[in-house]
Each structure stands twice: as structure tokens, then as C-alpha cells.
Amino acid sequence: MSLTEIAFYFLSFLAIFSALAVILSKNPVYSVLYLIVTFFSIAGHYFLMNAQFLAAVHIIVYAGAIMVLFLYVIMMLNLNEEQEEKTKNWVKIAAVVSACSIMLILVSLISKSTYNMGKAPMAGDAGLVQNLGKVLYKDYLLPFELASVLFLAAMVGAVYLSKKETSKS
Amino acid sequence: MEILPNITIQHYLWLSTTLFALGVFGVLLRRNAILMFMCIELMLNAVNIALVAFSKVHGDTSGQVFVFFIMVVAAAEVAVGLAILMMLYRNLRTTDTDALNNLKG
């Protein structure tokens, strides 16, 4: 077993088990911390696939920005485990059944698929910043600019929504 | 079709599938809106792994650009969604989705 294989399996199990812990832990703060572990292992997968730019962006955006946002909101709302959520039993069963059936469908699709043609081209440097930047600013310039508009709208929306309502009447 | 030595595209697809199914499971199981958000992030990341693996297989950078845009949309979604959650909590003092039944006839 080579080193990359070991790294792949280690990161995969880390991702899956911490994802399970996100779902099953009672305290939302623990869920956020396990989610950070999941995100770091996914970033490790990106590194393994030589997508260095995406790995860096993933750590910055998810572990840096989104997780801080989640933690802030959870601590501001003061959600502790004493507010025990009561999931009904039939909801639990339905969740297990539907998640398992989605898993079953996807796994059977993947194992049945004949997507296995020839040799892979293996352009090893597709994920480097230089190549990604060229594609991003040449072929995907318009979506890139639209993304900035989306961010502006999201920012305005978030500020407007979280503003305290001043009494108008 | 190997991405890493002895690791094929199928391995990555299985990983992605498992994470996606776990995300679906979490969204359906948990009643806390913040937890549901986290599970949505999990599903988005599962798809990202599949996209990066395919991009690696085909030697095409476009897949990674798509992942970049998915991250952009996820960040915007979390910002607005958490703001909505704050409003909900301010008005109803709960983030339990079962309590949000005002539109039920």
C-alpha cells in the first residue's frame, strides 16, 4: 500500500466519521467543530488530487469564514443541549429509509456504470493557480463577474435582514 | 482509470456518495435549522469532491472552476440564511423547524 493510498483512506474515513459526528452530536457547537474536521479532510483530498488552489480557497472560505459565521450565530443564539430537539420516531425512520435509498441508488448507479474508458489524460497541473486563473479569466469571465454581483446582493441582504427593526409607527 | 496510484474515480465517487447521503440524512433527521444548514454544506462539498475528481480524470480545468463557483454560492447562501435564522430567532425564540408552522392552514 503506497503512501497516497494510505492518505486517501485515512482522509476518507476521517471525513465520513466526522460527518456522522456532525449529524449525531447533541450539542451544536460540537457539530460545528466536527464540521471543521470534515472540511479539513476534504481540503486534504483536494491536495491529494493536486488541486492546490481549491484546497487553499476551501480552507479559507469554509474553515475561515463560514465556520466562524456558524459559531458566532450559535453562540449568539445561545443554543445549548438543554434545548433538546424532539424528533418524532416516524421522522427518524423516514430519514434513515430515504437516506439509505438515495445511497443505494447512487451506489448501484456508480457500480453499474461503464464509465471506465481508456487511460486518463492525467494533466497533473490542472489545479495550479496559474492554469485555473487563465481558464477563470478567459472562458468564465462573465460568470466570475456575476458572482461578484451575487456576493454584493448577499451582503446587502444579510445586512438588511439582520438589522434591528426600528419602530416605524 | 486511476487518479492516484490504485485509487480510481470510483473510489472518489463512493466517498462523494457517502458524504451526500449523510448530508441528506442529517437534513431529514435534525430539526434544528442551523444543523440543517451544516448538512447542506456537507452535500455541497460531496458534489465538489466528485467534480474535482472528474476534472482530474479528464485533465480539464473547467470542473475546478465549477467547484469555485459552488463555493461562492455556498458562502452567499450561508450569509443570507444565517441572517434569516437570526430574524427567526428574534421573533420566535427558537430555531426548531417544527415550530415554524404559521403558514399551515
Side-chain angles (χ1 to χ4, degrees):
Chain A
M1 220 185 199
S2 67
L3 197 65
T4 47
E5 265 179 279
I6 295 170
F8 173 83
Y9 285 114
F10 174 71
L11 287 171
S12 303
F13 281 115
L14 195 63
I16 289 169
F17 279 117
S18 51
L20 259 179
V22 169
I23 297 165
L24 297 178
S25 62
K26 288 266 176 278
N27 192 334
V29 178
Y30 289 154
S31 295
V32 174
L33 296 179
Y34 282 122
L35 197 57
I36 293 176
V37 176
T38 315
F39 284 158
F40 269 103
S41 52
I42 289 172
H45 275 298
Y46 291 163
F47 267 119
L48 271 187
M49 286 188 271
N50 210 12
Q52 298 163 8
F53 174 70
L54 278 184
V57 168
H58 189 268
I59 288 177
I60 291 170
V61 170
Y62 278 102
I66 291 183
M67 285 302 101
V68 172
L69 215 58
F70 270 118
L71 269 181
Y72 254 114
V73 169
I74 284 176
M75 289 176 177
M76 267 168 84
L77 302 189
N78 202 11
L79 294 174
N80 292 324
E81 62 261 72
E82 65 246 30
Q83 290 169 317
E84 194 65 44
E85 49 184 298
K86 32 199 181 305
T87 311
K88 296 180 199 77
N89 265 332
W90 67 268
V91 173
K92 280 181 192 166
I93 295 168
V96 171
V97 167
S98 34
C100 285
S101 45
I102 277 195
M103 180 92 191
L104 193 72
I105 291 168
L106 290 175
V107 164
S108 63
L109 263 178
I110 292 167
S111 52
K112 280 273 184 346
S113 77
T114 51
Y115 180 80
N116 233 335
M117 72 287 189
K119 286 188 194 63
M122 293 290 284
D125 51 356
L128 299 188
V129 183
Q130 191 183 9
N131 303 321
L132 205 56
K134 273 182 192 151
V135 175
L136 193 60
Y137 285 107
K138 254 188 214 150
D139 304 342
Y140 293 92
L141 185 60
L142 181 65
F144 186 76
E145 297 297 336
L146 286 179
S148 71
V149 176
L150 175 73
F151 259 135
L152 185 68
M155 191 179 76
V156 172
V159 170
Y160 179 74
L161 278 173
S162 54
K163 200 177 55 168
K164 263 227 160 53
E165 276 181 80
T166 48
S167 52
K168 281 162 227 137
S169 53
Chain B
M1 196 174 313
E2 296 185 343
I3 291 179
L4 307 170
N6 288 328
I7 303 291
T8 59
I9 178 80
Q10 258 83 10
H11 288 78
Y12 275 104
L13 287 180
W14 280 329
L15 170 69
S16 165
T17 302
T18 314
L19 281 178
F20 189 87
L22 280 176
V24 172
F25 180 53
V27 168
L28 293 173
L29 184 73
R30 301 304 296 261
R31 298 289 93 194
N32 188 339
I34 293 180
L35 260 301
M36 292 165 92
F37 256 118
M38 290 185 212
C39 294
I40 291 172
E41 295 299 315
L42 216 58
M43 285 194 270
L44 286 170
N45 277 293
V47 175
N48 281 353
I49 288 180
L51 276 175
V52 174
F54 275 121
S55 134
K56 182 82 176 143
V57 162
H58 290 283
D60 190 348
T61 319
S62 299
Q64 304 197 9
V65 176
F66 290 155
V67 172
F68 183 71
F69 285 126
I70 290 176
M71 283 182 189
V72 167
V73 173
E77 172 235 332
V78 164
V80 176
L82 286 179
I84 292 174
L85 266 183
M86 291 292 297
M87 282 302 286
L88 270 178
Y89 189 78
R90 204 175 284 152
N91 288 322
L92 296 172
R93 316 306 296 173
T94 180
T95 54
D96 194 329
T97 47
D98 280 340
L100 313 175
N101 53 5
N102 284 346
L103 280 181
K104 212 174 182 179

